Amino acid sequence: MAMEIAVQRRSWFKGLIVAALVALAAAASVAWAVRDPGIALLTGDGWIRYPEATRLPIRQPGTMTTAFRVRIEGVRTAGGEVLTLRAMRSAVVTLDGKPLFRTPGDRSRWKETFRVELPPLSGDGTRELRIDVTNVNGHPALAAHCRPLGLATGRSWEASRDGKLWLPALPADEIPPPALSRTFPRADRATVSLLPLFGFVFLAVFLLRYHAGGPATARLNRLVPSAAGVRNLLIAAWLVMAANNFWKLPLGMGMDNTGHWLYIRHIAESWRIPLAGEGWQMFQPPLFHVLEAAAYRLLTPFFEGETVVRLLKLLPLVCGMAQVEVVYRAMRTACPDREGLQVTGTLLGGLLPMNLYMAQSLGNEPLSGLLTALIVLASFRMIAAGGLPGWRGQIWIGALLGLALLTKVTAVLIVPPLLAAAACIALGEAPSRREGLRSWMSFAFLAAAVALVLCGWYYLRNYIEMGRFFIGGWDPSRRIEWWQDPGFRTPAQLYRFGEALFYPVFSSCQGFWDAIYSTFWMDGFLGAYDRPPWNYPLMLSGAWLSLVPTAAILAGAAAALFQREGGAGRGLLRFSLGAVLIYLA
């Protein structure tokens, strides 16, 4: 008994240490984001901007200036009052047209707070305080106040682009919705309109499950599919969907579809992998594009251009469909004795909307997702077995990781939870900590060596040619400059949620959680602006129906954190939660 209490206390103590380290890392990240001028985060109250509708397409680089003004009437002062201001990114302050202050020429100091001493006010007539704010590749924003004069930026201020048309300023926290988002029915009304259909389906499933298992319902039991049967039904449904949508979907539908197509054609025509600065998507690792380029060369002599592009979409489609099989096998590994959970997990994973949408467009995401999913499956089997795999299994994991990193660099995010799970297993099964550490290092070295053999040449080439192992799509060295509305973030956009429940389409403009929710459970980005021919009432109803699985996911996360029982179940939950948190972060 005393031993069990000691083990529990040690476990809680380790948990507290981990929680403290996470809290410190989070605090350091917040402090960095608040102070770093390269992060367009507006902290504090009172930020205002020009009241312009949100534009969805990218904006070209350039400088934008907005004039903000407020009228001061009947105020008499002796002078010396201080106006406190912050401007994104530079500002000129004038009173009745006379210059008072100009922020330093170094725009990297825009997060500093500046204090401007105001001259005496006679109290006669109306005075105009004006602040012209200039920003590069973003909307100018201003936060200013002078408490002795009762001044604070808000709706009482006016904003103008040309000094002629003046409009009430817009608080920076308020992001005007894109006009396109209001052309769809509200999600709650779409859900209500389909309640008869949903009620019939839910009742049928409930009765089927409720009566299943009784001695007098053998025939009914045959209608209840097993997890393997659900897997087969889902794959069949994917095939039906693919056949129906193959010619119907817009040719250019998909995130950065044109950029991926140009990448493929470049390799097919020149047999050379481009450098990151040579095109919109050419910073991506090349595996998907090389495979598609080979297919392009084979198909071009026999089909016209448009048909070739459609046929190239078969690889992402197969990758998306293959994830149904991976999910099924992962659920069998995680819940070997619980058929109901296997069915539920296979349905949820096999019907994830984002996988359905992305797999029908031209891009490297489905292949990257499949390879990463296979790594997750291998990790599940390792945790369930309670031991590190043999050298063949380690080579297999390394090969999957190398191919995934050769498809998309974000696959690196699966490495920390993979190594953490392997460390827990190695230290737990070894007779001594030294042997456990040696076993874990052997696993990590062999897997990393295989991965580097497959993908290391690409990242080494980047370093030799461009001075870095990886060049992101946002990197200034690519000389591809652009920006999108709103051009900044505020703390409220990082914690508020709700727009996705009513207007999911491009609710991402309102905040991070609306973006995650609307793109996880629905096609919140409309296949990148093309308005594909989905059944929109059914799609939008997912905003409310998905609250149930979302709550279940959150409950599972809580269970992973507070579950005291050991074994493979806890390890699988914590590995899954760690992977999700790392990808979110």
Side-chain angles (χ1 to χ4, degrees):
M1 185 68 178
M3 181 66 70
E4 292 181 1
I5 294 175
V7 170
Q8 288 183 2
R9 287 180 177 177
R10 185 182 300 173
S11 177
W12 277 102
F13 181 68
K14 290 180 179 178
L16 288 174
I17 292 177
V18 172
L21 291 175
V22 171
L24 286 174
S29 300
V30 170
W32 167 61
V34 168
R35 300 183 63 178
D36 187 350
I39 298 177
L41 179 66
L42 306 182
T43 57
D45 299 325
W47 287 96
I48 57 175
R49 51 162 283 197
Y50 185 77
E52 181 180 357
T54 298
R55 292 172 52 184
L56 293 174
I58 64 173
R59 292 177 179 258
Q60 296 302 314
T63 300
M64 186 181 295
T65 299
T66 299
F68 300 94
R69 74 179 183 184
V70 67
R71 305 294 176 86
I72 305 174
E73 299 183 5
V75 176
R76 181 186 299 272
T77 66
E81 289 75 19
V82 174
L83 174 72
T84 302
L85 71 90
R86 290 181 293 162
M88 183 181 179
R89 301 193 177 249
S90 62
V92 176
V93 183
T94 60
L95 182 64
D96 295 332
K98 297 179 180 179
L100 294 181
F101 176 77
R102 180 186 297 270
T103 56
D106 183 5
R107 288 178 176 170
S108 65
R109 297 176 58 185
W110 71 271
K111 286 193 174 182
E112 295 182 22
T113 299
F114 299 99
R115 304 180 187 280
V116 183
E117 186 173 324
L118 299 177
L121 302 178
S122 64
D124 298 330
T126 300
R127 315 295 293 273
E128 180 184 273
L129 177 65
R130 173 169 166 167
I131 305 176
D132 290 66
V133 181
T134 301
N135 193 8
V136 178
N137 296 346
H139 289 289
L142 172 71
H145 68 269
C146 178
R147 289 190 174 86
L149 300 181
L151 297 179
T153 45
R155 296 186 188 275
S156 60
W157 287 58
E158 294 180 309
S160 174
R161 286 276 170 79
D162 57 7
K164 299 177 182 178
L165 175 64
W166 291 88
L167 300 172
L170 181 71
D173 267 335
E174 296 183 18
I175 308 298
L180 178 62
S181 70
R182 296 309 191 256
T183 63
F184 296 89
R186 273 181 38 161
D188 55 334
R189 294 170 183 169
T191 306
V192 170
S193 69
L194 293 169
L195 282 181
L197 171 63
F198 295 145
F200 173 78
V201 173
F202 292 157
L203 180 62
V205 173
F206 172 77
L207 292 175
L208 194 64
R209 298 301 301 177
Y210 179 77
H211 290 290
T217 57
R219 292 183 179 179
L220 190 60
N221 289 340
R222 294 172 187 170
L223 299 177
V224 180
S226 63
V230 168
R231 178 268 316 270
N232 294 335
L233 288 173
L234 285 179
I235 292 176
W238 268 77
L239 291 172
V240 171
M241 177 194 70
N244 180 74
N245 292 358
F246 188 76
W247 295 105
K248 293 181 179 179
L249 292 181
L251 192 64
M253 191 196 86
M255 293 289 179
D256 300 315
N257 175 84
T258 303
H260 289 295
W261 164 241
L262 292 176
Y263 194 166
I264 293 166
R265 200 171 68 179
H266 175 92
I267 295 176
E269 294 175 353
S270 67
W271 286 116
R272 184 183 70 85
I273 296 172
L275 295 175
E278 294 183 44
W280 184 259
Q281 284 295 305
M282 292 178 183
F283 68 94
Q284 300 273 12
L287 178 60
F288 168 79
H289 304 90
V290 168
L291 294 175
E292 292 285 53
Y296 173 83
R297 291 290 294 264
L298 291 174
L299 295 170
T300 300
F302 304 101
F303 299 98
E304 296 180 354
E306 181 175 323
T307 303
V308 170
V309 176
R310 291 191 182 278
L311 290 173
L312 292 180
K313 293 184 178 183
L314 290 177
L315 175 58
L317 188 66
V318 169
C319 291
M321 186 166 56
Q323 292 197 52
V324 177
E325 179 70 24
V326 177
V327 169
Y328 163 69
R329 292 178 180 273
M331 292 307 302
R332 284 188 59 188
T333 303
C335 314
D337 302 321
R338 303 184 66 179
E339 185 83 13
L341 283 180
Q342 293 178 30
V343 170
T344 302
T346 304
L347 280 171
L348 184 64
L351 293 175
L352 279 180
M354 185 45 60
N355 187 34
L356 288 168
Y357 303 139
M358 295 293 286
Q360 298 182 76
S361 61
L362 191 65
N364 58 345
E365 292 282 359
L367 178 58
S368 174
L370 174 61
L371 293 168
T372 305
L374 288 170
I375 297 173
V376 172
L377 175 59
S379 303
F380 270 33
R381 289 177 171 174
M382 177 177 68
I383 296 169
L388 295 180
W391 64 270
R392 286 191 180 91
Q394 296 175 26
I395 290 175
W396 171 243
I397 291 175
L400 289 173
L401 180 60
L403 294 175
L405 289 171
L406 201 58
T407 305
K408 194 171 177 68
V409 73
T410 47
V412 74
L413 296 176
I414 199 63
V415 173
L418 170 65
L419 292 180
C424 291
I425 292 171
L427 294 174
E429 68 174 356
S432 67
R433 182 166 297 183
R434 177 177 296 178
E435 291 185 22
L437 185 60
R438 184 185 300 128
S439 177
W440 175 77
M441 291 181 66
S442 174
F443 167 84
F445 176 79
L446 181 56
V450 174
L452 288 174
V453 167
L454 291 173
C455 72
W457 62 269
Y458 170 74
Y459 294 97
L460 182 61
R461 170 181 177 261
N462 282 346
Y463 186 82
I464 294 172
E465 296 284 350
M466 295 172 287
R468 271 170 289 180
F469 290 108
F470 175 71
I471 307 295
W474 58 87
D475 198 287
S477 66
R478 300 180 69 220
R479 298 181 181 179
I480 301 176
E481 197 174 0
W482 55 279
W483 64 282
Q484 280 185 290
D485 284 353
F488 57 80
R489 292 296 177 208
T490 66
Q493 294 169 14
L494 302 178
Y495 62 75
R496 67 185 175 197
F497 172 77
E499 180 77 3
L501 296 178
F502 298 96
Y503 294 102
V505 176
F506 292 109
S507 61
S508 54
C509 297
Q510 303 301 318
F512 175 77
W513 296 109
D514 285 306
I516 292 294
Y517 192 83
S518 66
T519 56
F520 189 76
W521 298 116
M522 296 155 282
D523 186 10
F525 282 145
L526 294 185
Y529 313 134
D530 275 331
R531 196 175 184 131
W534 308 135
N535 185 320
Y536 284 102
L538 272 175
M539 187 192 85
L540 297 173
S541 67
W544 290 87
L545 298 179
S546 299
L547 289 173
V548 175
T550 300
I553 290 171
L554 294 176
L561 288 174
F562 299 108
Q563 185 179 12
R564 294 185 180 182
E565 297 180 2
R570 184 175 66 176
L572 288 168
L573 276 174
R574 293 188 174 179
F575 168 82
S576 302
L577 179 61
V580 170
L581 292 178
I582 286 174
Y583 272 82
L584 277 176

